[in-house]
Amino acid sequence: MLRLPSQWLSRSLQAARPISTQPTRRAPAAPLGPGKERVFVVGVGMTKFSKPLGSDGPTYTDMAKEAVSNALSDARLPYEAIEAANVGYVFGSSTRGQRSLYEMGLSGIPISNCNNNCSTGSTALFQSRGLVAGGLARCTLALGVEKMQKGALEVGAEENPNPLDKHVLGMAKCVGGPPDAPIAPWLFAHAGREHSKRYGTTKTQYARVAEKNHRHSVNNPNAQFQDEYTLDQILGSKEICHPLTKLQCSPTSDGAAAVVLANEEFVKVNGLQDKAVEIRGISMTTDVSTVFDDPIQLIGYDMAVKAADEAYQQAGLTVADVNVVELHDCFSTNELIMYEALGLCNKGEGGSLVDSGNNTYGGRYVVNPSGGLISKGHPLGATGLAQCTELTWQLRGEADKRQVSGASVGLQHNLGLGGAAVVTLYTKYQ
């Protein structure tokens, strides 16, 4: 959870320039095409996610080595097969990506570092996939690693302007007052309140999202939390910012995840057809001109809609083809609202989707079989690649007790405020 110092907020509320919500007139841009090469996930690996352990836990290099080693072992490849790498993390010094991969060897390959807030892992995936799709490399690596501090995330007062200043000020303008809780739950709680005001969504429906994800996590050995809670326990846990209680919020976490990508020729030459899951469509979008218009837009609704539309178009698929979803449930309110942005239901029907059971086993979709961010954990740089890892296991039929019967098309949504949304569609190798 993100917390801003009071002196920064006070200064910003008094002195910030007015926020323009007027649309910028531009010719519509076509989404990025699929590139000249088909791209396949051929190896995935991750660490168990855990609460931040500081000096008592593994270092970021330890976690990175474990995740990359697992992914390479899964792909039956040596590190020398990797031709380029992109490494994502939010907290840490420059070139942490190089230091992480130097544990695997010094091969001289290009290594880039990226930070896109909570969508960092999927940004590394987007970049590594682009190298393969564009014909610049045959086999690449995406790594996400994060070692976090306990409690709400602090943003230093010295940053001016702060990257989230317009989002905080926009929400304060929408709701008629400054934050009265840590920034992240405050933003997502008010989006939930707005959804309730418009569509009658109840706090019980939001809590049912968390109940589902905690229940799913029981079968995930990599999850930070693997406990099942009743609906009453979730509603009765400590309130963070109405309607969100503690058990509806993702925790700070340590962890790493890695993905090996390859083109079709590489897959065939190395006999990796049994491992290959195709990235059929992927889109990364940033905030659009409507972002400051209301609380739901401020948490990335429209950029998620745009990313989803572009990914479906690239893939030649529709939401009707999807059966398993890993969705960015940083808070239960966000999961419910994003059902609508991703097309899993019509606008205003997220609460009805929850009540119908069509977001869990036996329903139309299984959303967050991993337990999601709420239970699996949320080490910011690793989250998107852990989502990719889970969907790869699901489409291969390797998800053990979490396995979604008949899983053939996976949908991934990863969100970073400030902002970026990455939506990815996966299918089995054909």
Side-chain angles (χ1 to χ4, degrees):
M1 294 187 293
L2 183 66
R3 188 188 302 277
L4 294 170
S6 58
Q7 63 268 34
W8 175 87
L9 183 61
S10 175
R11 181 173 67 246
S12 297
L13 285 169
Q14 294 173 9
R17 296 177 180 177
I19 297 170
S20 172
T21 59
Q22 294 299 315
T24 302
R25 298 299 295 265
R26 293 191 179 96
L32 292 175
K36 61 184 289 187
E37 300 280 355
R38 296 172 71 189
V39 183
F40 300 87
V41 176
V42 296
V44 292
M46 62 180 292
T47 67
K48 177 179 171 57
F49 288 178
S50 69
K51 67 179 181 180
L53 297 173
S55 59
D56 293 330
T59 65
Y60 74 87
T61 55
D62 293 333
M63 294 187 293
K65 183 177 182 180
E66 180 182 348
V68 174
S69 296
N70 289 344
L72 290 169
S73 177
D74 182 52
R76 304 190 294 264
L77 293 171
Y79 179 61
E80 290 72 23
I82 303 299
E83 298 174 355
N86 288 279
V87 184
Y89 55 92
V90 176
F91 302 101
S93 302
S94 178
T95 68
R96 181 170 279 203
Q98 282 89 328
R99 182 63 185 85
S100 295
L101 290 177
Y102 285 176
E103 295 294 311
M104 305 303 302
L106 299 170
S107 60
I109 63 171
I111 300 172
S112 298
N113 298 269
C114 65
N115 175 353
N116 237 1
N117 214 340
C118 301
S119 62
T120 292
S122 288
T123 300
L125 178 71
F126 180 85
Q127 294 172 333
S128 290
R129 177 259 177 203
L131 293 172
V132 178
L136 300 177
R138 296 167 299 170
C139 183
T140 61
L141 176 73
L143 167 66
V145 60
E146 206 72 72
K147 193 165 179 66
M148 300 178 71
Q149 301 297 316
K150 297 179 181 179
L153 307 182
E154 299 287 347
V155 176
E158 73 281 356
E159 277 200 85
N160 184 26
N162 183 280
L164 288 178
D165 61 356
K166 289 183 178 291
H167 294 75
V168 174
L169 294 168
M171 186 66 80
K173 179 181 176 182
C174 287
V175 304
D180 54 2
I183 293 300
W186 177 75
L187 288 168
F188 286 93
H190 277 286
R193 292 187 206 181
E194 183 67 24
H195 199 274
S196 296
K197 186 188 304 181
R198 292 182 193 176
Y199 308 116
T201 317
T202 67
K203 66 178 183 179
T204 298
Q205 290 170 326
Y206 291 130
R208 282 181 178 151
V209 170
E211 184 277 326
K212 166 188 66 74
N213 291 346
H214 285 294
R215 175 164 32 89
H216 288 177
S217 74
V218 170
N219 292 319
N220 187 356
N222 289 316
Q224 182 171 341
F225 300 113
Q226 298 169 45
D227 299 312
E228 190 169 351
Y229 296 94
T230 67
L231 190 60
D232 286 343
Q233 286 175 312
I234 291 169
L235 287 166
S237 62
K238 180 182 176 182
E239 185 169 273
I240 304 300
C241 187
H242 182 76
L244 293 172
T245 64
K246 183 178 180 180
L247 291 174
Q248 298 176 67
C249 303
S250 59
T252 51
S253 312
D254 288 351
V259 172
V260 180
L261 303 171
N263 67 13
E264 189 168 20
E265 179 186 11
F266 188 96
V267 168
K268 291 179 177 178
V269 167
N270 289 279
L272 298 176
Q273 291 92 333
D274 62 319
K275 294 291 185 179
V277 169
E278 185 171 7
I279 297 179
R280 285 281 296 272
I282 184 169
S283 175
M284 181 170 70
T285 57
T286 56
D287 288 312
V288 297
S289 60
T290 54
V291 63
F292 303 118
D293 289 352
D294 65 53
I296 292 176
Q297 305 298 348
L298 278 158
I299 63 163
Y301 183 91
D302 275 359
M303 66 177 174
V305 170
K306 185 173 187 289
D309 287 348
E310 291 179 359
Y312 288 130
Q313 181 180 335
Q314 286 178 26
L317 299 168
T318 72
V319 70
D321 299 304
V322 173
N323 29 48
V324 59
V325 183
E326 282 289 311
L327 190 158
H328 193 96
D329 62 316
C330 48
F331 302 92
S332 61
T333 49
N334 194 56
E335 177 169 325
L336 187 149
I337 290 169
M338 289 300 137
Y339 293 159
E340 301 168 17
L342 299 173
L344 305 184
C345 62
N346 293 326
K347 186 175 286 190
E349 294 180 359
S352 297
L353 180 65
V354 171
D355 290 341
S356 72
N358 278 318
N359 60 352
T360 188
Y361 295 90
R364 174 65 187 83
Y365 315 99
V366 180
V367 181
N368 288 328
S370 67
L373 284 58
I374 285 174
S375 290
K376 181 179 59 185
H378 187 22
L380 308 188
T383 289
L385 291 165
Q387 291 177 317
C388 173
T389 296
E390 176 69 20
L391 290 173
T392 298
W393 285 332
Q394 289 286 348
L395 295 181
R396 289 179 183 169
E398 298 175 352
D400 198 25
K401 294 179 181 179
R402 303 185 310 285
Q403 185 63 49
V404 175
S405 178
S408 59
V409 178
L411 172 66
Q412 177 190 355
H413 163 260
N414 193 198
L415 168 71
L417 288 184
V422 184
V423 173
T424 311
L425 283 156
Y426 304 86
T427 60
K428 295 180 178 181
Y429 178 79
Q430 294 179 346

